[in-house]
Amino acid sequence: MLPILHRRSFLASAAAALARRHVPLSALGTPVGKLNRIGIELYAVRGAMKANPEKTLEALAKIGYTDVELL
């Protein structure tokens, strides 16, 4: 069963979404720029890890991932 969405809640959400499209990220306090580190959960590549863990980790490093999460 879907939750009930009232008109006022919908209009507030829609207005916020539209306003967000026109506000730069820097105004929201979100840092803009290049990340120093980026990671991936190994669950996302579990099939490849079962087949060949070393090759999978090498491929992830070539893509640019610097950190992995095991669980």
Side-chain angles (χ1 to χ4, degrees):
M1 186 169 157
L2 295 174
I4 296 173
L5 182 64
H6 297 286
R7 185 184 312 171
R8 184 174 289 165
S9 299
F10 171 78
L11 292 175
S13 297
L18 287 173
R20 168 59 189 97
R21 292 183 64 189
H22 299 290
V23 176
L25 288 176
S26 59
L28 297 175
T30 304
V32 177
K34 188 174 180 180
L35 297 174
N36 295 333
R37 297 168 53 186
I38 186 166
I40 187 171
E41 289 185 15
L42 292 181
Y43 182 80
V45 291
R46 63 190 175 278
M49 284 295 289
K50 285 181 184 177
N52 192 341
E54 293 85 12
K55 194 172 186 177
T56 303
L57 292 174
E58 286 177 17
L60 291 172
K62 284 181 184 177
I63 293 170
Y65 288 106
T66 57
D67 296 345
V68 294
E69 185 177 29
L70 302 175
L71 300 174

